[in-house]
């Protein structure tokens, strides 16, 4: 189902250029650098998102991805920089990649320990909350479902 939802979301993004503000396609080389830096392997719909859009926002909804190879000196919507920062500052587990900030202390992450058909689940993580108190609530079954829900909210 996921690629179907993702392709639907992609179509919405591409046909609403006035709402779209993305850095643009990222190269395979850059994606591999990011994977090595994080110790994660991007797959499925999120990988396609990086190859197609990179990072950015649709309306007021920001979707984190890859901006440049300077992972240390960046800012949102750079998922690599943000994830590395929160690994240092909030004890963010290494299996999580932050893809969206809700604007409170809650971030949504791809959970690379929960993968179904190449698609990591999207879970919530509360910054500043002890790991043993985290609920890791599943927000979406995969990035495609998550993205479709996000873009539909902006239409």
């Amino acid at each position: 189902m996921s690629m179907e939802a993702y392709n639907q979301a992609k179509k919405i993004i591409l046909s609403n250029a006035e709402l779209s503000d993305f850095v643009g396609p990222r190269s395979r080389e850059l994606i591999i650098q990011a994977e090595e830096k994080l110790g994660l392997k991007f797959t499925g719909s999120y990988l396609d998102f990086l190859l197609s859009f990179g990072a950015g926002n649709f309306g007021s909804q920001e979707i984190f991805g890859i901006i440049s190879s300077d992972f240390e000196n960046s800012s949102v919507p750079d998922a690599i920089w943000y994830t590395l920062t929160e690994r240092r500052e909030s004890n963010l587990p290494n299996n999580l990649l932050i893809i969206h900030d809700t604007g409170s202390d809650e971030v949504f992450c791809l959970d690379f320990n929960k993968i179904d058909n190449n698609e990591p689940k999207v879970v919530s993580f509360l910054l500043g909350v002890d790991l043993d108190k985290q609920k890791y609530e599943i927000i979406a079954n995969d990035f495609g479902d998550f993205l479709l829900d996000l873009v539909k909210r902006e239409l």
Side-chain angles (χ1 to χ4, degrees), residues 43-102:
T43 57
S45 54
Y46 188 68
L47 177 60
D48 189 274
F49 173 79
L50 297 173
L51 290 165
S52 305
F53 302 106
N57 50 291
F58 185 76
S60 64
Q61 304 291 343
E62 237 173 356
I63 304 115
F64 300 169
I66 299 175
I67 295 174
S68 76
S69 61
D70 189 351
F71 304 127
E72 297 303 323
N73 304 293
S74 192
S75 60
V76 294
D78 189 325
I80 316 309
W81 166 83
Y82 198 6
T83 297
L84 292 169
T85 301
E86 293 306 330
R87 278 181 182 180
R88 281 194 303 270
E89 295 176 5
S90 295
N91 252 353
L92 184 78
N94 288 347
N95 56 297
L96 299 181
L97 173 77
I98 302 174
I99 55 165
H100 183 71
D101 193 331
T102 61

Side-chain angles (χ1 to χ4, degrees), residues 86 89-91 105 125-131 134:
E86 293 306 330
E89 295 176 5
S90 295
N91 252 353
D105 290 327
F125 184 84
L126 297 166
L127 299 173
V129 172
D130 290 343
L131 292 183
Q134 294 285 345

Side-chain angles (χ1 to χ4, degrees), residues 40-47 49-50 63-65 79 83 87 92-100 107-115 118-125 136 139-147:
L40 298 171
K41 184 101 181 83
F42 305 139
T43 57
S45 54
Y46 188 68
L47 177 60
F49 173 79
L50 297 173
I63 304 115
F64 300 169
T83 297
R87 278 181 182 180
L92 184 78
N94 288 347
N95 56 297
L96 299 181
L97 173 77
I98 302 174
I99 55 165
H100 183 71
V107 290
F108 294 164
C109 308
L110 292 178
D111 186 343
F112 288 86
N113 282 356
K114 293 193 177 97
I115 296 183
N118 263 348
E119 296 283 350
K121 300 231 178 279
V122 179
V123 301
S124 70
F125 184 84
Y136 302 106
I139 302 301
N141 277 324
D142 53 57
F143 181 73
D145 287 351
F146 169 74
L147 186 64

Side-chain angles (χ1 to χ4, degrees), residues 10-53:
K10 195 172 172 179
K11 210 174 279 172
I12 293 170
I13 292 170
L14 294 171
S15 57
N16 290 275
E18 72 287 352
L19 290 173
S20 303
D21 184 16
F22 292 95
V23 294
R26 304 290 90 178
S27 70
R28 288 247 177 225
E29 294 73 32
L30 182 57
I31 292 169
I32 290 166
Q33 280 179 4
E35 290 175 331
E36 286 171 353
K37 188 82 181 160
L38 293 169
L40 298 171
K41 184 101 181 83
F42 305 139
T43 57
S45 54
Y46 188 68
L47 177 60
D48 189 274
F49 173 79
L50 297 173
L51 290 165
S52 305
F53 302 106

